[in-house]
Amino acid sequence: MIAEDLLDLAPVIPVVVLDDADAAVPLARALVEGGLPVIEVTLRTSSALEAIARIAAEVPDAVVGAGTVVRPEDAERSAAAGARFLVSPGCTSRLRAAMVATGLPFLPGVATASEAIALLEAGITAMKFFPAEAAGGTAYLKSLGGPLPQIRFCPTGGIGPRNAADYLALANVGCVGGSWLTPADAVRNGDWKLIRDLASEAASLR
């Protein structure tokens, strides 16, 4: 799988924050059953790597990846845990080299045309646009499509049910990322039906 393929697997990539690794497998199963097989587990908690490992081992239909990759060692540890892709909120040459070294597809984060062009010079054409709403939203992305038509984005940040379809309507957007699919209270209470229903609604956006 290459990074461009990630953008076509589902219209929405759930961005998941897990404080308890025991919730990882039932959560992933609910998302997959709802039609969203690509799952980004953010490295914002101490349980994240274990959660990735459990999903990779026990939910074969899930394509689990690591988000909030900000250090070279994040990339290495995520790959070792079983992540199948990496996502970073921004990108430096050192971080890019570390992600490349894992052999995994990755979506490096950009917020400006200059950042996008720098990655394009390195042969990268699939990127995360972050923070999407704060950085200019759909209007900004549409403007980037003119001079940089070869780049496709997964916008993340401030995206939810009210505006996801607007992003997905853009020619240079392959999918969007969002945390609205896994509300913290639903995860804490084990309300997997709610998460499955939210995933099903999101899967129908394309």
Side-chain angles (χ1 to χ4, degrees):
M1 181 172 63
I2 60 174
E4 284 76 6
D5 294 336
L6 282 172
L7 303 181
D8 296 318
L9 293 178
V12 181
I13 296 179
V15 178
V16 179
V17 180
L18 280 171
D19 294 305
D20 181 3
D22 288 341
V25 168
L27 173 67
R29 285 177 177 152
L31 291 169
V32 170
E33 288 167 6
L36 299 180
V38 186
I39 303 168
E40 175 189 333
V41 177
T42 69
L43 301 182
R44 299 178 193 174
T45 69
S46 59
S47 301
L49 289 173
E50 184 182 350
I52 289 169
R54 290 196 189 184
I55 295 171
E58 299 181 46
V59 192
D61 291 334
V63 180
V64 63
T68 320
V69 174
V70 296
R71 304 170 299 173
E73 54 265 38
D74 291 338
E76 297 158 8
R77 291 171 182 164
S78 297
R84 293 176 60 185
F85 66 93
L86 307 171
V87 183
S88 65
C91 198
T92 65
S93 57
R94 186 164 169 255
L95 181 59
R96 176 171 57 82
M99 291 192 288
V100 169
T102 66
L104 296 174
F106 62 93
L107 297 174
V110 299
T112 69
S114 294
E115 291 169 349
I117 290 170
L119 288 170
L120 192 60
E121 288 178 350
I124 296 168
T125 58
M127 306 175 194
K128 170 177 176 170
F129 179 59
F130 176 83
E133 282 288 278
T138 55
Y140 189 92
L141 273 175
K142 187 175 182 180
S143 297
L144 284 182
L148 301 170
Q150 62 274 66
I151 299 177
R152 295 177 73 215
F153 296 95
C154 173
T156 305
I159 298 176
R162 63 174 182 80
N163 59 359
D166 296 332
Y167 281 92
L168 290 167
L170 298 177
N172 59 346
V173 169
C175 63
V176 300
S179 58
W180 83 89
L181 300 150
T182 55
D185 55 344
V187 176
R188 189 166 48 249
N189 297 328
D191 192 348
W192 311 127
K193 181 183 182 302
L194 173 61
I195 289 173
R196 186 168 59 250
D197 290 345
L198 290 171
S200 181
E201 291 171 10
S204 69
L205 286 171
R206 176 125 68 201

